[in-house]
Amino acid sequence: MISKSQIQEFSENGAILLKNTFDRDWLHILAEGIEKNRKDPGPYACQYTPQDDEGDFYDDYCNWSRIKEYNNFILNSPAAEIAGCLTKSSEIRIFHEHVLVKEPKTSESTPWHHDQPYYCVDGEQVCSIWLPLDPVPKESGLEFVAGSHLLGKMFMPIKFLTLKDYDYPPGSFDSIPDIDAHRNEHKILSWDMEPGDCIVFHFKTLHSGKGNSHSEIRRRAFSSRWIGDDAVFAERPGETSPPFPELRSFKQGDPMDHPLFPVCWAK
């Protein structure tokens, strides 16, 4: 399913586009799940667009165990195997799912960040699979700083709603560099995407997302987060996202062996 050259590309760049990876049946299943999720949001659902503004940017996560369509995708789609192959893991666990929807005429962008400082996970055999259910032109999609997962740095997480730093002590992590002010100094990856395409990226790869300026096309995306062989529990200097209160007894370096994170694929 995954070639050696694709594994090498993911290893070097920290993000890769995979064309025609998921068939339309999986997209229809996820679309049904997202509509159910929208009508019945979970405890972590968030609305980013002010009530009187055009468009609508919202997200939700950690619902895969209660929404059967998400459950079906995570346990039975090719996603876990893709994650295992690209991270060169012998087994892959689901970490969580994250649904992000930008309706037509949504101006809110997703700021530059990388995910691992938000998470209670350390490790290098980790990735997200970002799967849009709609056509996504470059101007409405994600951008990635190629190779940024290899910088050996962790950047301060920021809140998408306020664009302020997390309530971590100053100096806990490095400040996020101003990528947009120095774009010519970086190799920026972005792609036009069609339904069935996906992007796989490392938890440490810096990325951002534009608003959805299209007047008709939605931008629904289902992002599944996966952890592999070397993933262990990480203590952060404040609350993580997701918070996972069930892990209060875990300590730094503990294996992520918990019913929340079942093994979904193994060699």
Side-chain angles (χ1 to χ4, degrees), residues 3 12 39 42-43 87 105 116 227:
S3 68
E12 292 177 356
K39 293 174 183 176
T87 62
K105 300 182 180 180
Q116 195 143 324
I227 52 179

Side-chain angles (χ1 to χ4, degrees), residues 9-10 20 37 63 75 90 94 148 154 210 248:
E9 181 179 348
F10 174 77
N20 301 314
N37 197 170
N63 295 295
L75 297 180
S90 61
I94 182 64
S148 53
M154 293 269 276
K210 302 292 179 62
R248 287 195 182 98

Side-chain angles (χ1 to χ4, degrees), residues 169-184:
S172 299
F173 296 111
D174 291 315
S175 297
I176 297 175
D178 190 344
I179 302 298
D180 287 325
H182 304 278
R183 290 180 68 92
N184 61 341

Side-chain angles (χ1 to χ4, degrees), residues 130 138 140-144 189-191 199 201 207-209 219:
W130 193 81
K138 282 186 180 184
S140 299
L142 301 188
E143 293 187 316
F144 301 85
L189 305 175
S190 62
W191 301 277
I199 297 171
F201 61 97
H207 60 285
S208 70
R219 203 218 71 179

Side-chain angles (χ1 to χ4, degrees), residues 152-163:
K153 294 183 177 182
M154 293 269 276
F155 297 106
M156 183 68 81
I158 59 176
K159 298 177 181 179
F160 290 2
L161 192 59
T162 64
L163 302 183

